[in-house]
Amino acid sequence: MNNSPNPRHYLTVSDLSTNEILFLISRALKLKKLYKSGQPYRPAMNKVIGLLFEKPSTRTRVSFEAAMLQLGGNVTFLSSNDLQLKRGEPLKDTAKVLSRYLDCLVVRTFGQGIVDELARWSDIPVINGLTDQHHPCQVLSDIMTVMEHKDREMRALKVAWVGDGNNMAHSWIQAACRLGFALTLACPEGYEPDRETLNRAQSESAAPIILTTDPQEAVETSDVINTDVWASMGHEKEAAKRREIFAPYQVNDALLARAKTDAIVLHCLPAHRGEEISEDVLEGPHSVVWDQAENKMHLQKAVLEWAMQLEGVVSSPCALDT
Ligand code: CP
Ligand code: NVA
């Protein structure tokens, strides 16, 4: 139990300042180096986090679990089907009770209002592990991956988003605003990102955030190309219709040829080869998706450390201090 009057929730990228984002990414890079060195680092001993997941997950679940175990702590996985939530217990009561047992709660659910409500009543940090509207941890590990592969500051890069104006697109929009990099999103008509999220970011960002329907325009001279599934979790019934509408938005060799020659391709995964991304691009030399997936674990460590305020809880001097 880590009850605090002001728990550090992480619900959307906009919750963080520019400095906090840069801090978390630089911390994740250090934690990655430490992990690779084989030196143990266990600041979370005696801490327990809960993962309350209402949607499937491979990467987010396992990366948070591995991250917490490597930090020396414990994890309990809470499938919503097995909780009293399923039988109507209010989110408020769930949050209050879980706060008495746990030190942090990672939530994957449908509406953003659900994580907001849990955070409102929780005395422990609540971390958004994906909602219909946002995927804020994912975008930080994506940007960490970009920073590893590009020897330039984010604000010197041109980023393209190709496909659905979904949760990932929203988190990228908020990140572009905070970090001041140029972002062009190519989405089919009717599948644009949320207008309010876009307008706010456009009005606050130091660099252009552009929405187009033309994927070629978006990737033209870009350094980073991002895509994601055409039918997110919850939209499975629309998959066939979306496959037709989104066909011109496939990230393939022809599209990639419009980008800079050293452009990198990101996909948060899971991928549908032959739909939003071709097999050749996913497995080709421009793809950084496997590094991107690995980096989730290092980034989740940084987020957990920050949320539970474990920074500085170091039992012995380690590579983090160098
Ligand atoms: N990228 C990502 O969040 O993957 P999972 O759905 O497997 O967690
Ligand atoms: N947009 C996708 C991301 C999966 C990690 C979804 O919400 O299903």
Side-chain angles (χ1 to χ4, degrees), residues 85-302:
L85 262 179
K86 197 75 190 169
R87 296 178 58 248
E89 184 167 19
L91 290 165
K92 174 178 172 175
D93 297 6
T94 304
K96 286 181 171 197
V97 170
L98 292 180
S99 297
R100 300 292 178 107
Y101 306 138
L102 302 172
D103 297 283
C104 181
L105 184 66
V106 182
V107 181
R108 169 166 288 201
T109 187
F110 293 89
Q112 185 70 16
I114 297 173
V115 283
D116 290 345
E117 178 76 355
L118 285 166
R120 180 172 173 213
W121 298 107
S122 179
D123 295 329
I124 55 170
V126 173
I127 296 171
N128 181 354
L130 182 145
T131 60
D132 291 345
Q133 289 78 25
H134 297 275
H135 200 359
C137 294
Q138 178 71 50
V139 84
L140 294 192
S141 44
D142 295 354
I143 291 171
M144 170 185 174
T145 311
V146 174
M147 286 165 80
E148 281 181 324
H149 284 268
K150 294 279 166 202
D151 205 14
R152 271 167 293 159
E153 285 187 55
M154 279 308 292
R155 60 185 169 189
L157 298 175
K158 188 169 177 247
V159 178
W161 176 269
V162 182
D164 193 17
N166 62 13
N167 44 10
M168 282 300 308
H170 296 150
S171 290
W172 269 95
I173 289 168
Q174 294 191 337
C177 175
R178 281 287 184 269
L179 298 180
F181 58 83
L183 175 66
T184 305
L185 304 110
C187 309
E189 228 178 287
Y191 296 90
E192 299 91 351
D194 172 61
R195 180 52 59 188
E196 198 185 316
T197 305
L198 184 64
N199 286 348
R200 182 168 304 168
Q202 283 173 326
S203 66
E204 290 175 7
S205 183
I209 301 176
I210 296 165
L211 178 64
T212 173
T213 52
D214 181 356
Q216 267 122 27
E217 180 192 335
V219 302
E220 197 72 48
T221 67
S222 64
D223 302 283
V224 178
I225 302 174
N226 249 303
T227 189
D228 186 14
V229 291
W230 291 337
S232 286
M233 289 180 275
H235 293 286
E236 287 82 0
K237 284 192 184 134
E238 298 171 29
K241 180 180 164 207
R242 283 172 175 251
R243 267 196 293 276
E244 275 179 39
I245 293 169
F246 282 81
Y249 293 79
Q250 185 185 79
V251 176
N252 51 30
D253 286 325
L255 194 64
L256 187 55
R258 311 292 291 248
K260 291 205 180 120
T261 51
D262 64 349
I264 56 172
V265 175
L266 278 82
H267 190 312
C268 67
L269 306 178
H272 293 77
R273 289 166 165 84
E275 292 187 20
E276 74 275 2
I277 191 163
S278 67
E279 169 82 13
D280 285 351
V281 170
L282 187 76
E283 297 289 2
H286 296 269
S287 168
V288 297
V289 302
W290 312 117
D291 288 348
Q292 192 186 349
E294 176 189 334
N295 283 340
K296 283 173 72 79
M297 181 178 78
H298 308 297
L299 192 282
Q300 320 297 31
K301 275 189 198 167

Side-chain angles (χ1 to χ4, degrees), residues 13 52 63-64 67 79 89-90 111 139 169 206 231 238 267 278 303 305:
V13 174
L52 198 174
S63 62
F64 265 111
S79 162
E89 184 167 19
V139 84
E238 298 171 29
H267 190 312
S278 67
V303 168
E305 204 189 40

